[in-house]
């Protein structure tokens, strides 16, 4: 990911594919361990109306002139979208600090929105080092050009840094950038002191210590992230009883992680790859649930999500998410984020998606996000679903077009047909199948409506549990005694959901520790909802990945191995 030889200095294209620095030609070696980089924006030798030192962004970027001076301009393409410049530069050995100077001009910001510059250090493997660098935010329009400076101390194991001016998820904004100069400064010489030789130690004393207390029998170990035989992905899984084990060696794996959303409402996503990296590297997740939409997959987005490439860029981004997750030794649950019951077009989606990720060791297939509004026989075997007479919980999250589409009656092929469609491609990947009541209710699984997997690595049933869901034992714990369970969505927010009566919702102060204790007591697989600062229940307070105190921090602690006591009672 990094350049190994300096100079010349080169930066690679980030997998997001938005923009990165190409060769930076104006490099002056100030001393054996210092480097000055002047990223000129004045020359266009190849005549493509873009400065030679930079790669043109796919949208939102322009090369402007102001009284003969050339500079790069970022303009937000659409409300709620994003555009950014991404520069990655390798550090010369012995760098102790980095100094940045640049000129910027900001205009057309809406009150409450901001432009930002994300700066991060990377290690030799290209992973972000923690703790991260505080992101500079600019929440006002500038009065013409302004000079900016920043200076950062370099962590000892840093091998590169990134500089990313950005306009992200705001209503409007224009960010002009010019005359970026980056100086890598050498670390100060160490001070050598002479220390007198220590006095001879006293004779050793024999101290008898009590043996350490054994951990409680119910405390399950967290499965470490390890790569499979190919060195690029984790080992493939299969179902064994009510647990997941590796296909080779039958080592038990306990999946614990987060949902990384946005591809269900945005064809370009919102920090998907960065969120996956942070969730695995910093929060210690070993599984990512990735919600996607069939319409976007086939290039049929609506409003500003309309695509002109038949969904190619959308599918490519999902490919990148799979590759990134697998490269870190973690698993990815591909969630078809639709509701109610399978539709005929969902068979087409799973034929394509299962063929694309067939037998990929890191990928599991979540066939339908949240089934509801039908009976167990239709859920399993298919049948006609009448037009919806009243709004469902999901209507709070759908566009008017999606609400209308979701309301109409249709002939459902059923979950067994969905599973058979996946297996017809030759894919043995574990499938995840949610029950009724928005994937909460698994009572039918233990009363005769379990599916049949004739040729794959098995089924993991999904339950989505929130603070208003009651009857834990009957609704999902009975099924968990016989089948592996994924709590595919779980979490609580400080602000109660508006579409559920407040008196039906337990407060997060008591619910969150009880749920985490239950998960650990029964060793349930889980992916917390939601690794996003605006999709409730929120695990993140901001895009610096600060955990929310009410849900994000306890979940992060659980992922890191903190023990929570079993719940005092079952809800």
């Amino acid at each position: 990911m990094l350049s190994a030889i300096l100079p010349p200095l080169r930066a690679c294209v980030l997998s997001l594919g938005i923009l990165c620095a190409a060769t930076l030609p104006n490099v002056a070696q100030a001393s054996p361990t210092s480097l000055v980089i002047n990223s000129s924006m004045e020359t266009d030798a190849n005549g493509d109306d873009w400065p030679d030192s930079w790669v043109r962004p796919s949208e939102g970027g322009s090369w402007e002139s102001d009284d003969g001076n050339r500079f790069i301009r970022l303009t937000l393409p659409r409300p709620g979208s994003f555009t950014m410049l991404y520069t990655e530069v390798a550090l010369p050995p012995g760098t102790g600090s980095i100094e940045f100077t640049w000129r910027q001009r900001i205009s057309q910001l809406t009150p409450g929105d901001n432009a930002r510059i994300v700066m991060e250090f990377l290690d030799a493997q290209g992973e972000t080092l923690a703790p991260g660098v505080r992101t500079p935010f600019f929440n006002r329009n500038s009065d013409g050009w302004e000079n900016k400076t920043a200076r950062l101390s370099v962590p000892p194991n840093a091998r590169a840094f990134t500089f990313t001016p950005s306009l992200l998820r705001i209503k409007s904004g224009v960010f002009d950038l010019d005359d970026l100069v980056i100086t890598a400064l050498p670390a100060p010489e160490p001070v050598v002191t002479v220390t007198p030789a220590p006095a001879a130690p006293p004779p050793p004393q024999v101290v008898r210590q009590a043996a350490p207390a054994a951990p409680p029998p119910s405390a399950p170990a967290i499965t470490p992230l390890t790569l499979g035989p190919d060195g690029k992905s984790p080992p493939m899984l299969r179902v064994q009883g009510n647990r997941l084990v590796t296909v080779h060696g039958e080592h038990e794996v306990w999946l614990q992680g987060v949902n990384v959303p946005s591809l269900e409402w945005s064809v370009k996503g919102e920090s998907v790859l960065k969120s996956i990296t942070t969730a695995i590297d910093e929060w210690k997740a070993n599984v990512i649930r990735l919600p996607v939409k069939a319409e976007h997959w086939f290039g049929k987005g609506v409003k500003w999500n309309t695509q002109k490439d038949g969904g190619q860029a959308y599918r490519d981004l999902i490919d990148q998410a799979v590759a990134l997750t697998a490269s870190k030794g973690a698993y990815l649950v591909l969630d078809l984020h639709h509701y109610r019951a399978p539709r005929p077009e969902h068979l087409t989606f799973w034929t394509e998606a299962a063929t694309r990720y067939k037998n990929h060791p890191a990928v599991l297939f979540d066939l339908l996000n949240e089934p509801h509004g039908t009976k167990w026989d239709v859920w399993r075997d298919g049948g006609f679903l009448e037009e919806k007479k009243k709004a469902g919980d999901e209507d709070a999250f759908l566009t008017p077009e999606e609400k209308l589409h979701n309301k109409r009656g249709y002939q459902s092929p059923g979950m067994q047909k969905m599973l058979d469609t996946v297996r017809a491609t030759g894919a043995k990947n574990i499938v995840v199948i949610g029950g009724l009541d928005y994937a909460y209710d698994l009572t039918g699984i233990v009363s005769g409506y379990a599916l049949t997997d004739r040729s794959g690595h098995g089924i993991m049933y999904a339950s989505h549990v929130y603070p208003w869901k009651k009857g834990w034992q009957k609704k999902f714990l009975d099924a968990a005694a016989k089948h592996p369970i994924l709590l595919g969505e779980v979490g609580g927010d400080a602000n109660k959901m508006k579409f559920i009566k407040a008196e039906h919702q337990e407060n997060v102060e008591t619910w969150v520790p009880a749920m985490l204790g239950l998960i650990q007591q029964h060793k349930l697989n889980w992916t917390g909802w939601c690794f996003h600062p605006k999709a409730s229940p929120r695990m993140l307070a901001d895009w610096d990945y600060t955990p929310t105190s009410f849900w994000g921090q306890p979940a992060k602690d659980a992922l890191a191995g903190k023990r929570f006591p079993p719940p005092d009672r079952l809800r």
Side-chain angles (χ1 to χ4, degrees):
M1 187 171 182
L2 309 179
S3 296
I5 301 175
L6 296 169
L9 186 66
R10 302 183 65 88
C12 73
V13 178
L14 183 71
S15 57
L16 283 171
I18 297 172
L19 180 69
C20 81
T23 304
L24 300 177
N26 301 321
V27 177
Q29 196 74 30
S31 75
T33 57
S34 68
L35 194 68
V36 178
I37 306 157
N38 179 9
S39 183
S40 173
M41 300 173 184
E42 300 295 328
T43 60
D44 176 23
N46 60 6
D48 64 350
D49 196 33
W50 190 256
D52 298 327
S53 301
W54 299 83
V55 176
R56 189 191 302 270
S58 58
E59 60 178 348
S62 60
W63 192 34
E64 304 289 338
S65 178
D66 188 356
D67 295 329
N69 176 60
R70 304 305 298 266
F71 60 93
I72 289 181
R73 168 169 290 173
L74 292 178
T75 305
L76 192 73
R78 295 167 300 279
S81 62
F82 63 89
T83 184
M84 64 179 68
L85 304 175
Y86 180 94
T87 302
E88 181 182 311
V89 180
L91 292 171
T95 301
S97 62
I98 301 176
E99 184 174 84
F100 306 86
T101 65
W102 71 94
R103 296 199 310 140
Q104 69 180 39
R105 182 171 59 184
I106 299 174
S107 59
Q108 300 183 29
L109 278 183
T110 303
D113 288 340
N114 57 66
R116 66 184 74 179
I117 298 178
V118 179
M119 292 182 278
E120 296 179 326
F121 288 104
L122 310 177
D123 63 16
Q125 287 71 45
E127 306 295 343
T128 303
L129 292 174
V133 179
R134 190 166 184 85
T135 300
F137 289 85
F138 310 101
N139 57 7
R140 64 172 181 83
N141 295 314
S142 60
D143 185 13
W145 286 99
E146 296 179 336
N147 295 318
K148 297 291 181 181
T149 62
R151 186 163 182 167
L152 306 175
S153 297
V154 177
N157 53 340
R159 297 296 179 266
F161 65 90
T162 63
F163 184 88
T164 313
S166 311
L167 296 173
L168 300 173
R169 291 168 297 279
I170 61 178
K171 298 180 181 68
S172 65
V174 176
F175 196 169
D176 296 334
L177 182 73
D178 197 10
D179 298 336
L180 172 63
V181 177
I182 307 170
T183 305
L185 302 172
E189 293 292 332
V191 177
V192 180
T193 59
V194 178
T195 304
Q205 297 179 344
V206 177
V207 180
R208 296 187 182 277
Q209 295 181 336
S218 61
I222 293 178
T223 304
L225 300 182
T226 56
L227 297 180
D230 62 356
K232 299 179 182 178
S233 58
M236 196 164 194
L237 303 177
R238 69 175 181 85
V239 170
Q240 184 179 80
N242 68 343
R243 300 298 180 196
L244 304 180
V245 299
T246 59
V247 171
H248 301 290
E250 297 186 355
H251 302 295
E252 185 177 334
V253 175
W254 182 20
L255 298 182
Q256 302 186 87
V258 302
N259 282 264
V260 173
S262 71
L263 286 174
E264 70 270 40
W265 68 73
S266 168
V267 294
K268 293 186 177 180
E270 298 177 5
S271 298
V272 170
L273 302 181
K274 174 62 176 174
S275 294
I276 289 173
T277 298
T278 303
I280 298 173
D281 291 352
E282 299 180 20
W283 288 50
K284 309 307 178 185
N286 67 359
V287 61
I288 301 295
R289 185 172 182 258
L290 188 72
V292 301
K293 276 289 183 72
E295 292 90 343
H296 298 166
W297 177 277
F298 293 112
K300 299 177 181 179
V302 296
K303 292 187 176 180
W304 57 79
N305 280 342
T306 300
Q307 303 171 80
K308 298 180 180 179
D309 62 355
Q312 184 63 51
Y314 185 80
R315 296 189 295 271
D316 287 347
L317 180 53
I318 296 173
D319 286 349
Q320 293 169 28
V322 169
L324 175 62
T325 303
S327 72
K328 294 178 177 295
Y331 296 89
L332 184 140
V333 177
L334 187 66
D335 157 45
L336 180 60
H337 207 77
H338 291 258
Y339 300 86
R340 200 179 181 194
R343 292 176 175 271
E345 57 265 32
H346 297 159
L347 301 180
T348 305
F349 170 83
W350 279 118
T351 297
E352 279 208 10
T355 299
R356 193 179 190 95
Y357 305 116
K358 178 170 57 178
N359 301 325
H360 192 300
V363 179
L364 295 79
F365 300 143
D366 192 341
L367 299 190
L368 189 74
N369 173 46
E370 289 186 341
H372 71 91
T374 185
K375 298 179 180 180
W376 280 108
D377 57 344
V378 177
W379 172 89
R380 184 187 65 183
D381 303 323
F384 186 76
L385 275 76
E386 296 182 353
E387 180 175 329
K388 289 177 63 177
K389 302 299 183 183
K390 60 180 181 178
D393 291 352
E394 76 271 21
D395 288 351
F397 316 110
L398 300 180
T399 66
E401 295 90 341
E402 289 173 324
K403 291 178 185 177
L404 181 60
H405 182 67
N406 208 32
K407 179 180 179 181
R408 296 173 181 146
Y410 61 95
Q411 184 74 25
S412 173
M415 283 294 190
Q416 184 65 57
K417 181 64 175 178
M418 292 268 275
L419 171 58
D420 294 343
T421 297
V422 169
R423 295 299 182 231
T425 69
K428 295 182 179 296
N429 313 54
I430 287 177
V431 295
V432 179
I433 299 177
L436 292 179
D437 188 16
Y438 297 89
Y440 174 58
D441 179 7
L442 296 180
T443 57
I445 304 305
V446 295
S447 60
Y449 291 99
L451 304 188
T452 301
D453 185 11
R454 300 177 179 86
S455 60
H457 288 321
I459 301 167
M460 179 162 54
Y461 290 99
S463 181
H464 295 186
V465 190
Y466 289 111
W468 56 89
K469 297 294 189 181
K470 309 301 180 183
W472 290 355
Q473 183 65 52
K474 181 179 179 182
K475 295 297 185 179
F476 65 88
L477 286 179
D478 285 350
K482 299 181 178 182
H483 306 273
I485 300 299
L486 173 67
L487 300 187
E489 292 184 17
V490 59
D493 204 297
N495 300 316
K496 294 183 177 180
M497 300 297 104
K498 295 181 180 179
F499 56 89
I500 299 291
K501 291 182 179 181
E503 59 268 25
H504 294 170
Q505 303 180 58
E506 183 177 346
N507 292 331
V508 291
E509 292 84 358
T510 57
W511 189 89
V512 164
M515 176 52 62
L516 291 173
L518 184 82
I519 286 171
Q520 293 176 342
Q521 179 186 18
H522 294 274
K523 211 170 180 181
L524 303 172
N525 304 286
W526 65 287
T527 47
W529 187 276
C530 165
F531 210 61
H532 193 285
K534 293 185 179 180
S536 294
R538 299 169 296 127
M539 304 182 85
L540 303 179
D542 50 47
W543 279 116
D544 288 333
Y545 296 94
T546 305
T548 55
S549 59
F550 49 84
W551 170 226
Q553 190 61 57
K556 185 177 183 180
D557 292 343
L559 291 171
K562 178 181 176 179
R563 307 303 310 157
F564 287 79
D568 57 348
R569 59 185 174 84
L570 293 181
R571 276 57 174 174

